[in-house]
Amino acid sequence: MKAGIAFLASLATLAISLAAHAAPQAGDVTAGKAAFAACASCHQVGTGARHAFGPRLDGVIGRRAGTQAGFNYSPAMRKSEIVWSPSTLAAYIRHPDEVVPGTSMRFSGWAYSEQKLADLFAYLQTFP
Ligand code: HEC
């Protein structure tokens, strides 16, 4: 019986360490809001958000790229077949032209840390 409990406890420890390894860093919404300032000159989110120089970003995580009505995407974005997830979005923000060659987004966050991106995504996810 004791051995059984010890075995279960070690399984639990293993599961926790695996989860900690696989889980993305937890993002901080307040820090993410500050990070979004770099996007806000072109993108809107939240109540009443509209397409501006860039498309509105409400509900962006999980959406297929280049598919919102009323925004004039580049042909490259429309054809990209990307679905925005934390990993595809991270790659695009860091190197837009490499991920979507020919994109009209003139911005590069190549120096963004994993933490800054996680914060940004936590903030974006508050706008489903
Ligand atoms: C200088 C203006 C500008 C800035 C700054 C900018 N973007 Fe963009 N963004 C655009 C434009 C223009 C597009 C449309 C690109 C295309 O069609 O190729 C776009 C497209 C996107 C898309 C694709 C949306 C969709 O509906 O598929 C995402 C996601 C995105 N931007 C995120 C960001 C984030 C996050 C930031 C800040 C870290 C940012 N952008 C900063 C102009 C900008």
Side-chain angles (χ1 to χ4, degrees), residues 2-125:
K2 260 205 171 135
I5 288 170
F7 177 68
L8 282 181
S10 65
L11 265 189
T13 311
L14 178 68
I16 288 165
S17 60
L18 281 178
H21 187 72
Q25 279 143 301
D28 179 81
V29 173
T30 308
K33 185 174 183 187
F36 189 76
C39 324
S41 53
C42 300
H43 291 286
Q44 298 182 11
V45 285
T47 313
R50 300 165 58 164
H51 299 316
F53 192 72
R56 63 194 279 274
L57 292 182
D58 292 59
V60 67
I61 307 253
R63 186 165 58 224
R64 196 166 145 189
T67 54
Q68 294 188 95
F71 185 80
N72 190 19
Y73 291 98
S74 65
M77 183 63 82
R78 261 189 260 117
K79 285 188 219 133
S80 72
E81 296 187 4
I82 289 172
V83 175
W84 296 120
S85 67
S87 62
T88 55
L89 201 44
Y92 179 63
I93 290 168
R94 281 180 171 151
H95 305 285
D97 268 319
E98 279 172 34
V99 175
V100 183
T103 181
S104 54
M105 177 158 132
R106 299 273 77 86
F107 174 85
S108 169
W110 60 269
Y112 279 26
S113 67
E114 293 292 325
Q115 187 63 53
K116 186 165 183 173
L117 290 169
D119 295 342
L120 192 55
F121 303 150
Y123 177 66
L124 285 176
Q125 277 173 318

